[in-house]
């Protein structure tokens, strides 16, 4: 049986779970924290962020950043509720139209990065502004759109009412598991890690890196679009300015990705860890009720994670070139192996 | 047998002690309430917790869909925006008043976001609550809809005696207040108007009658213009209730009373003085002498930007009116750069909400919709509204 050793590397590898456990322990000392209503409310209010965080994670594993996640989800919500209220289309068609928008956005992002060789940061930043402009064109005089309360009340009040979380959260959980299985157990999924780790090695191994990169952007945008559309339906309205004035959903997604252990330069990470971190962040927000405190605590945690990774990378770079057998012998002598 | 007798005796004793205590609390609360109404003042020396204004809603000239087809300058079009005209038969079952007095009650107030106005409102809310013996926690979602939704859930989980909300979005309000009322907590809406059907879940709405005050401002502007000229509008945040009230309130009033006054342009540059200055400078270049007046949705940064643009162009003939009133607005009125502003008391807004909540706890009948008093401020009467509240 393999001996488990609790050291810095172990703690770092499991930091998402440790973060969640610590937050849950703090929750014990928070009045009225572990109530069914609170858990349902906390998970429900943060589900959209989980979709965005998972989308962001996939791109980051592939070594890219997708800054369109927030606007893609908002635009999807507007399209979904807009087509339902204006064109009177059934919900399923509205969701599909929103998801199709996500596919197009992801394709464009991917093509800009792979074919035009534009940095993902710049390409998705530009796309973010385009989406923003399109949103204001789509809903020029409206702060919000939609308001189908019948669907909203059915989904929130009647569907799986016995569970301590909403149907929206359950759908999100299923989506996360599907993406996790795809990344971990399929060849294409493993190739995402390979191109993120070292794109040249991936190329030498015969991986079609452009195709995989485009695929990651499409998956990211589809997740965000689906999450945004469902969020609009479940909350009954879509707000054009969502996240523009408070804590940016993009920042929350990025934070969950980084704290969840995804390497900022790509090649490693897990949507499941991002999901766990996002739950921990949601609980943390429930504990620190004031927005100022939430921002402060989350930022400190993220900085600690980044600082650890930077130091670890520096230490790794110092031993590059050392023969592994000698290094292992040295570590055994020092009792660190 | 002996144990049961003991229990019954204990119960009777507890009831005997509690009932007079509750009655005392109610009497004390009523006395405290009367004292607060008479004594708590706004910083500009007006009563903070005055009785609100109520009126009967006029009948709409069609359904919401039919009215949407009308021209923007037709006041009938905006009926459902102007009045909270809801179907009372659809009202949810509201929690009954405990009628045991406001003293000792705990309220959670959820505002919309950080702003000088909000700070003033929060302080006034705390002051008014203290005056009637209530405690309050205030949450500020910093203009973020999802954060406000989260705060509402958090507030419900904490189980206060009442929750007061300034909804960020009229459309989201129904779901927010439904959650509160479904949880059996009295829900009060304040300041921004909710969508009409949200009233089915709101025990009482209190706030400014933005449409009424902006119509008055529009009428005063029309008179000053002598019934002719060109007017341009700088709006509030697009889509919110102040956007409609502060744009279409004066516009429809001018169209009704002074049909020769033209609308030149409508712009929404936000609340940055520099952005507003740019828009007004462009208007002066584009419209020249045709531009005779500007209506602003805000008398602070929007008014500063407008005054700077007018000064730079040397067009002091342009008449500027705004929704108010802030410190900057009052200074501009005194300097003659702002012709008139509406008086919308931030502290009375908070005071009226607290008044209504306290009346509910005191077992009194409360109006479902009531508005704070308003006025028009110009160079002649500005002194009586100083020092400004925010």
């Amino acid at each position: 049986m393999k001996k488990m050793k609790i050291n810095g590397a172990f703690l770092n590898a499991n930091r998402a779970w440790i973060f969640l456990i610590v937050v849950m322990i703090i929750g014990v000392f928070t009045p009225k924290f572990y109530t069914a209503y609170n858990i349902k409310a906390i998970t429900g209010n943060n589900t959209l962020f989980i979709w965005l965080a998972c989308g962001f994670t996939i791109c980051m594993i592939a070594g890219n950043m997708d800054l369109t996640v927030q606007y893609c989800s908002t635009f999807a919500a507007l399209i979904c509720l807009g087509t339902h209220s204006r064109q009177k289309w059934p919900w399923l068609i509205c969701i599909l139209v929103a998801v199709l928008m996500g596919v197009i956005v992801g394709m464009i992002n991917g093509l800009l990065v792979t074919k035009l060789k534009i940095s993902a940061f710049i390409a998705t930043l530009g796309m973010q502004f385009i989406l923003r402009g399109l949103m204001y064109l789509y809903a020029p005089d409206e702060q919000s759109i939609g308001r189908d309360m019948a669907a909203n009340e059915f989904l929130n009040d009647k569907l799986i009412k016995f569970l301590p979380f909403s149907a929206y959260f359950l759908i999100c959980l299923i989506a996360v598991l599907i993406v996790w299985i795809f990344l971990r157990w399929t060849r294409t999924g493993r190739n995402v890690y390979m191109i993120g780790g070292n794109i040249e090695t991936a190329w030498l191994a015969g991986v079609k890196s452009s195709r995989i990169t485009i695929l990651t952007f499409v998956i990211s945008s589809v997740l965000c679009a689906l999450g945004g559309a469902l969020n609009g339906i479940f909350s009954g309205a879509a707000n054009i300015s969502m996240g523009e004035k408070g804590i940016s959903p993009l920042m929350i997604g990025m934070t969950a990705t980084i704290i969840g252990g995804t390497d900022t330069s790509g090649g490693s990470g897990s949507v499941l860890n991002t999901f766990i971190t996002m739950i921990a962040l949601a609980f943390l927000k429930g504990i620190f009720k004031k927005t100022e405190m939430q921002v402060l605590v989350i930022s400190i945690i993220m900085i600690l994670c980044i600082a650890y990774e930077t130091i670890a990378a520096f230490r790794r770079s110092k031993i590059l070139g050392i023969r592994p057998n000698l290094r292992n012998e040295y570590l055994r002598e020092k009792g660190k192996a | 047998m002996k144990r049961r007798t003991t229990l019954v005796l204990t119960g009777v004793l507890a009831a005997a002690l509690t009932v007079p205590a509750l009655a005392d609390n109610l009497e004390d609360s009523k006395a405290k309430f009367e004292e607060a109404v008479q004594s708590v003042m706004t910083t500009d020396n007006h009563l903070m917790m005055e009785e609100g204004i109520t009126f009967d809603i006029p009948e709409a000239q069609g359904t919401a869909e039919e009215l949407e087809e009308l021209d923007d300058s037709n006041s009938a079009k905006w009926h459902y925006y102007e009045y909270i005209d809801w179907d009372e038969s659809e009202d949810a079952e509201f929690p009954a008043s405990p009628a045991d007095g406001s003293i000792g009650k705990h309220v959670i107030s959820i505002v919309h976001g950080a702003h000088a106005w909000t700070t003033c409102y929060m302080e006034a809310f705390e002051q008014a609550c203290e005056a009637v013996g209530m405690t309050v926690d205030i949450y500020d979602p910093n203009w973020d809809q999802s954060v406000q939704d989260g705060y509402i859930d958090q507030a419900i989980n904490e189980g206060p005696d009442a929750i007061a909300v300034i909804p960020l979005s009229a459309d989201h309000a129904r779901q927010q207040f439904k959650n509160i009322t479904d949880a059996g907590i009295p829900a009060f809406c304040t300041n921004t108007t909710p969508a009409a059907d949200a009233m089915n879940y709101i025990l009482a709405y209190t706030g400014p009658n933005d449409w009424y005050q902006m119509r008055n401002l529009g009428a005063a502007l029309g008179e000053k213009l002598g019934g002719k000229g060109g007017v341009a509008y700088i709006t509030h945040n697009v889509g919110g209730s102040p956007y409609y009230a502060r744009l279409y309130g004066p516009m429809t009033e001018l169209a009704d009373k002074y049909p020769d006054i033209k609308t030149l342009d409508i712009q929404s540059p936000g609340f940055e003085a520099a952005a507003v200055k740019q828009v007004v400078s462009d208007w002066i270049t584009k419209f020249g002498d045709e531009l005779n007046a500007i209506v602003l949705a805000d008398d602070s940064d929007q008014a500063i930007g407008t005054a700077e643009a007018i000064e730079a162009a040397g067009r002091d003939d342009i008449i500027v009116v705004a929704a108010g009133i802030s410190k900057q607005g009052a200074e501009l009125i005194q300097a003659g750069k702002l012709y008139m502003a509406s008086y919308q008391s931030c502290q009375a807004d908070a005071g009226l909400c607290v008044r209504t909540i306290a009346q509910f706890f005191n077992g009194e009948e409360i109006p479902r919709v009531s508005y704070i008093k308003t006025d028009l401020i110009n160079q002649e009467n500005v002194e009586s509204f100083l020092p400004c509240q925010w």
Side-chain angles (χ1 to χ4, degrees), chain A residues 31-33 35 37-38 41-42 45 49 139-147 149 152-153 156-157 234-239 241-249 285-286 288-292 294, chain B residues 137-147 149-154 156-160 168-172 174-175 178-180 182-183 195-198 201 237-241 243-244 248:
Chain A
K32 293 183 181 175
F33 184 76
T35 64
Y37 185 88
N38 199 35
I42 288 176
N45 286 327
F49 301 137
D141 289 333
E142 291 157 286
Q143 191 183 39
S144 61
I145 204 167
R147 302 188 70 243
M149 289 304 163
N152 167 272
E153 278 163 23
N156 289 307
D157 299 345
F234 274 84
S235 66
N239 257 41
S241 59
M242 190 197 77
E244 279 186 2
K245 290 163 183 163
I247 310 174
S248 160
K285 282 162 73 182
F288 295 100
K289 295 183 174 78
K290 301 273 179 184
T291 317
E292 306 87 311
Q294 292 172 5
Chain B
D137 276 333
I138 301 179
Y139 295 147
D140 175 2
N142 200 21
W143 306 104
D144 191 306
Q145 184 64 62
S146 58
V147 177
D149 290 346
Y151 274 149
I152 284 175
D153 285 330
Q154 210 168 284
I156 293 169
N157 189 51
E158 286 176 28
L168 267 168
S169 153
D171 288 341
H172 252 83
R174 182 183 151 103
Q175 187 59 39
K178 184 177 181 299
N179 289 349
I180 300 170
D182 285 353
D197 60 0
Y201 300 95
N237 288 331
V238 178
S241 63
Y243 168 80
Y244 294 104
Y248 296 112

Side-chain angles (χ1 to χ4, degrees), chain B residues 64-254:
Chain B
E65 288 76 23
E66 287 164 358
L67 296 183
E68 281 295 328
E69 302 299 318
L70 299 176
D71 188 75
D72 282 356
S73 60
N74 186 338
S75 58
K77 174 173 181 166
W78 305 106
H79 176 90
Y80 291 101
Y81 292 81
E82 181 170 0
Y83 304 105
I84 311 174
D85 194 358
W86 78 103
D87 181 359
E88 284 188 61
S89 66
E90 299 281 317
D91 277 353
E93 197 178 322
F94 292 114
S97 163
D100 56 359
S102 61
I103 296 175
K105 292 287 186 291
H106 182 64
V107 179
I108 291 182
S109 168
I110 300 167
V111 295
H112 37 30
H115 190 273
W117 182 93
T118 317
T119 308
C120 174
Y121 178 90
M122 293 195 294
E123 285 169 1
F125 204 99
E126 284 170 340
Q127 189 189 350
C129 278
E130 198 185 334
V132 293
M134 300 194 297
T135 56
V136 61
D137 276 333
I138 301 179
Y139 295 147
D140 175 2
N142 200 21
W143 306 104
D144 191 306
Q145 184 64 62
S146 58
V147 177
Q148 188 175 61
D149 290 346
Y151 274 149
I152 284 175
D153 285 330
Q154 210 168 284
I156 293 169
N157 189 51
E158 286 176 28
D161 295 300
I163 299 176
V165 184
I166 301 180
L168 267 168
S169 153
D171 288 341
H172 252 83
R174 182 183 151 103
Q175 187 59 39
Q176 294 178 326
F177 286 103
K178 184 177 181 299
N179 289 349
I180 300 170
T181 301
D182 285 353
I185 300 170
F188 295 86
C189 181
T190 171
N191 186 251
T192 54
T193 34
D197 60 0
M199 278 305 291
N200 294 132
Y201 300 95
I202 295 170
L203 203 54
Y205 167 81
T206 60
N209 191 341
D210 225 3
W211 282 86
Y212 175 74
Q213 65 194 21
M214 291 307 286
R215 283 193 194 288
N216 284 346
L217 193 65
L221 174 65
E223 196 181 331
K224 176 77 176 167
L225 285 171
K228 53 180 189 279
V231 182
Y233 297 82
I234 301 271
T235 75
H236 205 273
N237 288 331
V238 178
S241 63
Y243 168 80
Y244 294 104
R246 295 177 190 188
L247 170 60
Y248 296 112
M251 187 194 284
T252 53
E253 187 71 11
L254 288 170

Side-chain angles (χ1 to χ4, degrees), chain A residues 74-75 77-79 82 86 131-146 238-241, chain B residues 238-239 244:
Chain A
T74 309
F75 194 26
L78 288 171
I79 288 176
R86 293 174 188 172
L131 286 174
R132 215 162 153 179
L134 288 173
M135 283 193 317
Y136 281 97
L137 282 174
Y138 186 70
D141 289 333
E142 291 157 286
Q143 191 183 39
S144 61
I145 204 167
N239 257 41
I240 203 161
S241 59
Chain B
V238 178
Y244 294 104

Side-chain angles (χ1 to χ4, degrees), chain A residues 115-192:
Chain A
K115 303 298 173 193
L116 296 182
K117 307 290 179 202
I118 302 172
S119 135
F121 184 89
I122 303 295
T124 54
L125 186 68
M127 197 63 197
Q128 187 189 95
F129 283 102
I130 291 171
L131 286 174
R132 215 162 153 179
L134 288 173
M135 283 193 317
Y136 281 97
L137 282 174
Y138 186 70
D141 289 333
E142 291 157 286
Q143 191 183 39
S144 61
I145 204 167
R147 302 188 70 243
D148 186 322
M149 289 304 163
N152 167 272
E153 278 163 23
F154 170 75
L155 293 167
N156 289 307
D157 299 345
K158 296 186 174 70
L159 200 64
I160 61 160
K161 203 172 164 53
F162 57 92
L163 288 178
F165 43 77
S166 66
Y168 179 41
F169 179 77
L170 194 64
I171 296 167
C172 178
L173 182 61
I174 293 166
V176 170
L177 288 173
I178 291 170
V179 175
W180 178 67
I181 290 166
F182 163 75
L183 286 173
R184 197 168 169 83
W185 304 107
T186 67
R187 182 186 289 181
T188 314
R190 300 307 301 167
N191 287 345
V192 174

Side-chain angles (χ1 to χ4, degrees), chain B residues 8 28 38 47 53 89 98 103-104 124 139 232 236 238 242 280 287 289 316 342 360:
Chain B
V8 170
D28 290 350
Q38 299 299 323
L47 287 172
I53 299 168
S89 66
I103 296 175
Y139 295 147
H236 205 273
V238 178
V280 175
F287 299 113
D289 291 341
D316 54 5
S342 59
F360 172 74

